[in-house]
DNA sequence: TTTATCATGTAAGTCGTTACATGATTGA
DNA sequence: TCAATCATGTAACGACTTACATGATAAA
């Protein structure tokens, strides 16, 4: 599973706690990975048991204590191995509810399907907009060192920009596709 | 979960057995849904227990017996309800190992990353090629009525074509993106 | 004779979501 | 006072994968 590598990769830098990782996933790298807090905590615990991470409790004055994680040497090695081994297959599991709904569209009222495409286009425009600009983590989390650092890394790292650019291009392709479908449905008989 | 609706949708037509459904997923609608045989069998069983499907055993002379499934009236209603209710969100779970590998690319040797992009482009070209033509199920499964019928439906159904077209456009966008990334890596310092 | 295809299933384990529990502080 | 944010976790369930078991026929 790749969540473990996402965590090992993120924890190579300064120590982070589970809650902040969730914020990073949601705010900064939402084109890359997604996970629920409960899953993150469980995975961090599991990685620590395996000796790939270690944690320390950091008490805070005005906030609850944090459990800060860092990679161990073994964790760093495991990540390195994963990062330098090109996978045999690039296939991603194909399980997309929207595709399925469209696939079975011919049994559904055409006006309803048109509305579904319109809503999909709105959704995709939102995604594109979100990907077009850098997520300004430093602004959103003022005074947070971890976020400031993540922000800076993303701004300087060409690979981080690749991922952002991909989100833009792919969502644009899907917008064009959906608009094309809508036009065909409107041009077709009985509309 | 949507696998159940994929099954209910497929089984609205002529009765099909689990093994044939797997073939349909793999050959015809691989842009739409994916599932392992073991999961299909379990899900079919579960849907029958819920009264949404019913099955009959069909003995064959030269082959093992088949368990043929069909939707019940309750199953048809459940499918209708799903198909005619536009979901609140179009978000798909974002969990793509390739994105993650690129995101962490700056720590990896540049030549290795270039090779990874090249392999990715090859993979995407294969996907595009597969999507450009109709999957000729009738040719691949000569004499198979279920496949012949699925083939014909796909050929006549505009929604089926939408899905195919989407796969073409999205894989094209990803090819362009990856080529753009490669060019940037090659133009950058130290290449 | 061995491999491939057809055919159905079970069992174990991993991965992921949803719901629940707890409790502190801050701001409206 | 009430909601929001910060913070960590547990428990139950649901979804998916991998491995295993079985056995027939057809083709190489």
């Amino acid at each position: 599973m790749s969540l473990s590598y996402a965590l090992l990769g993120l924890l190579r830098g300064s120590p982070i706690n589970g809650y902040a990782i969730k914020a990073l996933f949601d705010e900064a790298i939402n084109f890359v990975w997604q996970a629920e807090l409960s899953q993150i905590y469980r995975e961090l615990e599991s990685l620590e048991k395996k000796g790939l991470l270690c944690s320390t409790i950091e008490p805070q004055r005005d906030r609850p204590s944090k459990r800060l994680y860092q990679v161990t040497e073994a964790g760093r090695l495991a990540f390195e191995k994963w990062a330098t081994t090109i996978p045999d297959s690039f296939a991603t599991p194909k399980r997309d509810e929207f595709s399925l709904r469209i696939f079975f569209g011919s049994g559904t009222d055409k006006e309803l399907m048109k509305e579904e495409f319109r809503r999909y286009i709105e959704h995709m425009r939102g995604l594109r907009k979100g990907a077009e600009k850098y997520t300004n983590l430093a602004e959103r989390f003022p005074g947070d060192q971890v976020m400031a650092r993540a922000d800076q890394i993303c701004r300087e790292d060409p690979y981080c920009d690749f991922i952002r650019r991909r989100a833009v291009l792919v969502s644009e392709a899907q917008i064009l596709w959906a608009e094309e479908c809508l036009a065909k449905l409107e041009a077709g008989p009985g509309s």
Side-chain angles (χ1 to χ4, degrees), chain A:
Chain A
M1 19 91 192
S2 301
L3 172 59
S4 46
Y5 295 107
L7 294 174
L8 291 174
L10 285 179
L11 292 167
R12 285 172 308 162
S14 51
I16 325 182
N17 61 321
Y19 195 83
I21 289 168
K22 172 64 173 162
L24 272 176
F25 277 154
D26 289 350
E27 306 281 343
I29 54 172
N30 60 78
F31 318 124
V32 179
W33 209 264
Q34 180 200 69
E36 294 303 319
L37 251 180
S38 60
Q39 203 196 345
I40 292 169
Y41 285 127
R42 231 185 329 114
E43 193 64 34
L44 287 170
E45 206 189 344
S46 152
L47 288 169
E48 192 173 24
K49 266 183 196 158
K50 286 174 191 160
L52 305 178
L53 292 181
C54 59
S55 71
T56 50
I57 302 277
E58 189 199 56
Q60 299 180 109
R61 273 144 277 152
D62 51 347
R63 300 257 158 219
S65 301
K66 288 174 175 179
R67 183 180 286 273
L68 294 172
Y69 284 92
Q70 255 184 311
V71 280
T72 60
E73 194 49 36
R76 198 172 293 273
L77 279 172
F79 178 81
E80 282 301 306
K81 197 185 165 189
W82 173 80
T84 55
T85 310
I86 300 177
D88 293 338
S89 167
F90 293 94
T92 51
K94 185 68 200 169
R95 228 165 279 121
D96 173 13
E97 185 171 354
F98 179 70
S99 295
L100 193 65
R101 297 178 63 81
I102 302 310
F103 180 73
F104 287 129
S106 57
T108 307
D109 174 65
K110 201 198 241 186
E111 288 307 315
L112 216 154
M113 291 308 292
K114 282 200 238 168
E115 178 58 21
E116 186 145 352
F117 274 112
R118 279 184 217 111
R119 300 256 296 269
Y120 180 74
I121 289 167
E122 281 317 300
H123 172 79
M124 277 299 157
R125 282 186 182 146
L127 279 193
R128 183 186 54 184
K129 206 174 176 183
E132 267 165 355
K133 58 170 179 23
Y134 288 92
T135 46
N136 206 328
L137 282 173
E139 256 177 32
R140 287 209 228 176
F141 297 84
D144 190 318
Q145 288 169 41
V146 170
M147 292 303 179
R149 206 163 153 274
D151 192 289
Q152 199 203 344
I153 287 167
C154 256
R155 229 162 264 278
E156 288 166 4
D157 187 349
Y159 290 95
C160 200
D161 199 55
F162 288 167
I163 290 300
R164 195 187 56 79
R165 175 96 176 123
R166 186 183 187 218
V168 172
L169 290 177
V170 171
S171 51
E172 247 158 31
Q174 309 221 54
I175 291 165
L176 285 173
W177 166 77
E179 285 171 344
E180 193 185 284
C181 294
L182 249 184
K184 277 179 191 162
L185 286 178
E186 266 152 10
S191 53

